[in-house]
Amino acid sequence: MENSLPLNVFHIKKTQLVINRLHTFLHGITLLPLFYYRITSLTAIVKTWDKSTFFPQFLLLISELILSFIWLLAQPSKWKPVVRTVYPERLPGDEKLPSIDVFICTADPNKEPCLEVMNTVISALALDYPPDKLHVYLSDDGGCSVTFRATKQAWNFSNFWIPFCRKYEVKNRCPEAYFLREENSEYPGKCDGSEFLVDKKDIEERYEEFKNSLAKIAADTSAYMSKDHTSLIQVISDEHGNEIVSDKEEMPVLVYVAREKRPSHPHHFKAGALNVLLRVSAMISNSPYILVLDCDMYCNDPSSARQAMCFHLDSKLSPKLAFVQFPQQKFYNISETDIYDGQLRYIWVGFRYFAVVEDVFTGFNLHCDGWISVYIEPSRPCFLGASPITLSELLVQHMRWNVGLNQIAMSSFSPLLYGPLRMSISQSMCYAEFAHSPLYFLSLYILALIPQLCLLRGIPLYPQDMVEQQRIWMMKSLTSYLYATFDAIMEKVGLRTASFLPTNKVVDDEQAKRYQMGIYDFQVPALFMVPLCTLYILNVASLVIGFGRILHSQKGNEMVIQTFIPLFATVLHFPLFEGMVLRKDKGAISKSVSLVSALISTVVLFCASFVS
Ligand SMILES: O=c1ccn([C@@H]2O[C@H](COP(=O)(O)OP(=O)(O)O[C@H]3O[C@H](CO)[C@@H](O)[C@H](O)[C@H]3O)[C@@H](O)[C@H]2O)c(=O)[nH]1
Ligand SMILES: [Mn+2]
């Protein structure tokens, strides 16, 4: 009988949707005057053919076009944000669940430590899924005896680890992470009693033994990676002579696979390894679903497979569903950067070799063929990966990804060409955003060089009236708008009647002269000048103090971006500085205004230091 309750639901994040769309709209609107200015000034330059300004303006136009292009491509992915929730407890009984093959790839024991790889293998073996329906395949692209021997040790340890996890419903089934973080408190019900403490001590000792055995293997086995060897496929089983667990629980299958490699034959890296696993698993377990993991991505939540089944067994989704994707920015080893990806895919496409980002490319092809995918971000991350922790590793990793993205962008599979006929425009745009993101380099080089060189040569690239507009708008906002609001409120509550003060049309010669020369006339009532001068002094003071802090304190880095605002204000309103300090003419800011402003600023600064 069909269960009437849904296995999964999704909600549109309405507030996020409104914010995103508003942002798209506002950003889009602001781009228009920028391009209008760029194009009109370029046409004017073309008419006079002034080479010194044409090239910088033209390069800036290119840079802004690229940035706007990628910005535009990024919009569909923000258009309709959704959250998905799954109900694994509504899944049919274990006997009705389909079987799963887990693929784990490793390539090089020198770069991917055996202990880490084996932890991933063990966490996959310990998934909360019927053991007769779970098969874990480890592809060893290095074909190293170290990895092979370590796999056997991992199997031996799992024979104790898995029953322990099942008995105490351990949530974190990656042993290294479990012993590191002591998560028992999550399940106080199961994990108090003295029996637990005895069992835990026992399993902890076994884990130490396991680690020692790996260290021993590493010490006396060669980590040589042959590029010329036949294949080795072995279903790992209990070896004769090993301690036999008396009441042995049922275990999943673990298979070690080192594919054949020949120097003359391209092996296609991870995609090649995955396709070999597809063929090998077809002979052994041939499960309809596969879970693909990198060797550094351990299972952090044993229910991930069941969570994915909430989509695959949903009769509305399943006919078209190619894969379930879990979030890509969850790491166990980092502070705040980078990417991992754990995916469940149907056996269909084999994995595409074409580019070194086989994950993006395979996903793209599946979507082009009419398959759909779902993305789920549970509050407890299902998988945790390792991210590079040195700049060098990070830059190399991103270079590989971007080589792959460029391979796609520059081919006939370019998402904007290949996609729109096969999938929706918005979906093509999402892939195109990825594929074209390497182009950022061009924009950034232009922006990092051209305005700077033009500044040295005295060539203006942005409209002059933009500066004036900004400056006057700020002056008006800080004074006229403020007082106008007060006035209106006072009038509303009957404390004052509104009046129409006509603007002065009498022209003073000196004032007219200054106006013609573009010099500000600061003969303005103190009521207007004092707030402006006070805020200016405060901004300058905070800039100076802030810079000092950045140079002298360790946490200074956090403050860098924050100095941009006072820096901008200081530069934009430089005429106020001239008016207070440098100018001596009649239009300068009066001494009394400067003095009062300086006094108020000091009081504010004093109070601020008092508060902190
Ligand atoms: O010839 C190879 C090279 C790599 N790998 C494995 O591929 C996985 C990913 O390699 P890694 O060096 O960890 O690359 P990352 O940049 O961290 O991986 C990201 O980028 C890859 C595409 O470049 C995707 O395959 C991964 O899923 C994604 O997490 C690892 O398990 C490797 O062992 C192989 O099996 N054979
Ligand atoms: Mn990785």
Side-chain angles (χ1 to χ4, degrees), residues 116-130:
E116 205 176 290
V117 178
M118 292 311 142
N119 261 285
T120 304
V121 171
I122 295 165
S123 72
L125 285 169
L127 279 175
D128 171 23
Y129 208 74

PDB file of all heavy atoms in Angstrom, residues 116-130:
ATOM      1  N   GLU A 116      43.245   8.510   6.475  1.00  0.00           N
ATOM      2  CA  GLU A 116      42.104   9.346   6.101  1.00  0.00           C
ATOM      3  C   GLU A 116      41.200   8.601   5.116  1.00  0.00           C
ATOM      4  O   GLU A 116      39.976   8.576   5.264  1.00  0.00           O
ATOM      5  CB  GLU A 116      42.647  10.616   5.454  1.00  0.00           C
ATOM      6  CG  GLU A 116      41.726  11.805   5.530  1.00  0.00           C
ATOM      7  CD  GLU A 116      42.418  13.032   4.949  1.00  0.00           C
ATOM      8  OE1 GLU A 116      43.382  13.545   5.572  1.00  0.00           O
ATOM      9  OE2 GLU A 116      42.003  13.451   3.856  1.00  0.00           O
ATOM     10  N   VAL A 117      41.821   7.974   4.108  1.00  0.00           N
ATOM     11  CA  VAL A 117      41.049   7.240   3.108  1.00  0.00           C
ATOM     12  C   VAL A 117      40.262   6.117   3.781  1.00  0.00           C
ATOM     13  O   VAL A 117      39.076   5.919   3.510  1.00  0.00           O
ATOM     14  CB  VAL A 117      41.990   6.669   2.020  1.00  0.00           C
ATOM     15  CG1 VAL A 117      41.198   5.872   1.000  1.00  0.00           C
ATOM     16  CG2 VAL A 117      42.770   7.785   1.346  1.00  0.00           C
ATOM     17  N   MET A 118      40.934   5.401   4.690  1.00  0.00           N
ATOM     18  CA  MET A 118      40.278   4.268   5.353  1.00  0.00           C
ATOM     19  C   MET A 118      39.142   4.750   6.260  1.00  0.00           C
ATOM     20  O   MET A 118      38.128   4.073   6.406  1.00  0.00           O
ATOM     21  CB  MET A 118      41.291   3.434   6.143  1.00  0.00           C
ATOM     22  CG  MET A 118      42.271   2.716   5.238  1.00  0.00           C
ATOM     23  SD  MET A 118      41.416   1.829   3.909  1.00  0.00           S
ATOM     24  CE  MET A 118      42.528   2.103   2.543  1.00  0.00           C
ATOM     25  N   ASN A 119      39.304   5.914   6.844  1.00  0.00           N
ATOM     26  CA  ASN A 119      38.220   6.482   7.646  1.00  0.00           C
ATOM     27  C   ASN A 119      36.988   6.731   6.789  1.00  0.00           C
ATOM     28  O   ASN A 119      35.856   6.495   7.214  1.00  0.00           O
ATOM     29  CB  ASN A 119      38.673   7.777   8.315  1.00  0.00           C
ATOM     30  CG  ASN A 119      39.076   7.553   9.763  1.00  0.00           C
ATOM     31  OD1 ASN A 119      38.219   7.386  10.616  1.00  0.00           O
ATOM     32  ND2 ASN A 119      40.370   7.493  10.029  1.00  0.00           N
ATOM     33  N   THR A 120      37.223   7.222   5.574  1.00  0.00           N
ATOM     34  CA  THR A 120      36.093   7.435   4.656  1.00  0.00           C
ATOM     35  C   THR A 120      35.435   6.093   4.320  1.00  0.00           C
ATOM     36  O   THR A 120      34.207   5.963   4.341  1.00  0.00           O
ATOM     37  CB  THR A 120      36.577   8.138   3.371  1.00  0.00           C
ATOM     38  OG1 THR A 120      37.217   9.351   3.733  1.00  0.00           O
ATOM     39  CG2 THR A 120      35.429   8.437   2.434  1.00  0.00           C
ATOM     40  N   VAL A 121      36.280   5.069   4.034  1.00  0.00           N
ATOM     41  CA  VAL A 121      35.752   3.743   3.700  1.00  0.00           C
ATOM     42  C   VAL A 121      34.924   3.197   4.870  1.00  0.00           C
ATOM     43  O   VAL A 121      33.797   2.728   4.685  1.00  0.00           O
ATOM     44  CB  VAL A 121      36.919   2.772   3.375  1.00  0.00           C
ATOM     45  CG1 VAL A 121      36.418   1.340   3.253  1.00  0.00           C
ATOM     46  CG2 VAL A 121      37.615   3.205   2.081  1.00  0.00           C
ATOM     47  N   ILE A 122      35.486   3.319   6.078  1.00  0.00           N
ATOM     48  CA  ILE A 122      34.791   2.781   7.258  1.00  0.00           C
ATOM     49  C   ILE A 122      33.465   3.514   7.483  1.00  0.00           C
ATOM     50  O   ILE A 122      32.437   2.900   7.769  1.00  0.00           O
ATOM     51  CB  ILE A 122      35.691   2.890   8.513  1.00  0.00           C
ATOM     52  CG1 ILE A 122      36.919   1.995   8.338  1.00  0.00           C
ATOM     53  CG2 ILE A 122      34.932   2.512   9.778  1.00  0.00           C
ATOM     54  CD1 ILE A 122      38.038   2.270   9.321  1.00  0.00           C
ATOM     55  N   SER A 123      33.473   4.843   7.309  1.00  0.00           N
ATOM     56  CA  SER A 123      32.236   5.600   7.531  1.00  0.00           C
ATOM     57  C   SER A 123      31.173   5.211   6.506  1.00  0.00           C
ATOM     58  O   SER A 123      29.980   5.240   6.797  1.00  0.00           O
ATOM     59  CB  SER A 123      32.508   7.106   7.501  1.00  0.00           C
ATOM     60  OG  SER A 123      32.772   7.541   6.193  1.00  0.00           O
ATOM     61  N   ALA A 124      31.607   4.830   5.292  1.00  0.00           N
ATOM     62  CA  ALA A 124      30.646   4.412   4.271  1.00  0.00           C
ATOM     63  C   ALA A 124      30.104   3.020   4.595  1.00  0.00           C
ATOM     64  O   ALA A 124      28.911   2.748   4.451  1.00  0.00           O
ATOM     65  CB  ALA A 124      31.302   4.424   2.894  1.00  0.00           C
ATOM     66  N   LEU A 125      31.004   2.127   5.073  1.00  0.00           N
ATOM     67  CA  LEU A 125      30.549   0.783   5.455  1.00  0.00           C
ATOM     68  C   LEU A 125      29.544   0.859   6.599  1.00  0.00           C
ATOM     69  O   LEU A 125      28.660   0.006   6.723  1.00  0.00           O
ATOM     70  CB  LEU A 125      31.755  -0.062   5.900  1.00  0.00           C
ATOM     71  CG  LEU A 125      32.681  -0.588   4.807  1.00  0.00           C
ATOM     72  CD1 LEU A 125      33.954  -1.161   5.420  1.00  0.00           C
ATOM     73  CD2 LEU A 125      31.982  -1.643   3.951  1.00  0.00           C
ATOM     74  N   ALA A 126      29.687   1.909   7.430  1.00  0.00           N
ATOM     75  CA  ALA A 126      28.846   2.025   8.620  1.00  0.00           C
ATOM     76  C   ALA A 126      27.566   2.815   8.370  1.00  0.00           C
ATOM     77  O   ALA A 126      26.851   3.150   9.315  1.00  0.00           O
ATOM     78  CB  ALA A 126      29.652   2.670   9.747  1.00  0.00           C
ATOM     79  N   LEU A 127      27.266   3.117   7.092  1.00  0.00           N
ATOM     80  CA  LEU A 127      26.021   3.845   6.795  1.00  0.00           C
ATOM     81  C   LEU A 127      24.826   3.087   7.364  1.00  0.00           C
ATOM     82  O   LEU A 127      24.824   1.853   7.399  1.00  0.00           O
ATOM     83  CB  LEU A 127      25.841   3.997   5.280  1.00  0.00           C
ATOM     84  CG  LEU A 127      26.594   5.117   4.580  1.00  0.00           C
ATOM     85  CD1 LEU A 127      26.379   5.026   3.075  1.00  0.00           C
ATOM     86  CD2 LEU A 127      26.131   6.486   5.089  1.00  0.00           C
ATOM     87  N   ASP A 128      23.826   3.843   7.776  1.00  0.00           N
ATOM     88  CA  ASP A 128      22.624   3.226   8.313  1.00  0.00           C
ATOM     89  C   ASP A 128      21.755   2.758   7.146  1.00  0.00           C
ATOM     90  O   ASP A 128      20.878   3.482   6.679  1.00  0.00           O
ATOM     91  CB  ASP A 128      21.890   4.266   9.184  1.00  0.00           C
ATOM     92  CG  ASP A 128      20.522   3.770   9.598  1.00  0.00           C
ATOM     93  OD1 ASP A 128      20.320   2.539   9.603  1.00  0.00           O
ATOM     94  OD2 ASP A 128      19.668   4.613   9.902  1.00  0.00           O
ATOM     95  N   TYR A 129      22.040   1.555   6.645  1.00  0.00           N
ATOM     96  CA  TYR A 129      21.328   1.019   5.496  1.00  0.00           C
ATOM     97  C   TYR A 129      21.407  -0.504   5.615  1.00  0.00           C
ATOM     98  O   TYR A 129      22.392  -1.021   6.142  1.00  0.00           O
ATOM     99  CB  TYR A 129      22.009   1.492   4.208  1.00  0.00           C
ATOM    100  CG  TYR A 129      21.065   1.599   3.040  1.00  0.00           C
ATOM    101  CD1 TYR A 129      20.138   2.641   2.961  1.00  0.00           C
ATOM    102  CD2 TYR A 129      21.088   0.647   2.028  1.00  0.00           C
ATOM    103  CE1 TYR A 129      19.255   2.714   1.905  1.00  0.00           C
ATOM    104  CE2 TYR A 129      20.206   0.729   0.961  1.00  0.00           C
ATOM    105  CZ  TYR A 129      19.295   1.762   0.908  1.00  0.00           C
ATOM    106  OH  TYR A 129      18.407   1.843  -0.137  1.00  0.00           O
ATOM    107  N   PRO A 130      20.387  -1.240   5.130  1.00  0.00           N
ATOM    108  CA  PRO A 130      20.455  -2.701   5.278  1.00  0.00           C
ATOM    109  C   PRO A 130      21.782  -3.228   4.723  1.00  0.00           C
ATOM    110  O   PRO A 130      22.110  -2.962   3.570  1.00  0.00           O
ATOM    111  CB  PRO A 130      19.286  -3.203   4.431  1.00  0.00           C
ATOM    112  CG  PRO A 130      18.400  -2.012   4.217  1.00  0.00           C
ATOM    113  CD  PRO A 130      19.174  -0.781   4.484  1.00  0.00           C
TER     114      PRO A 130
END
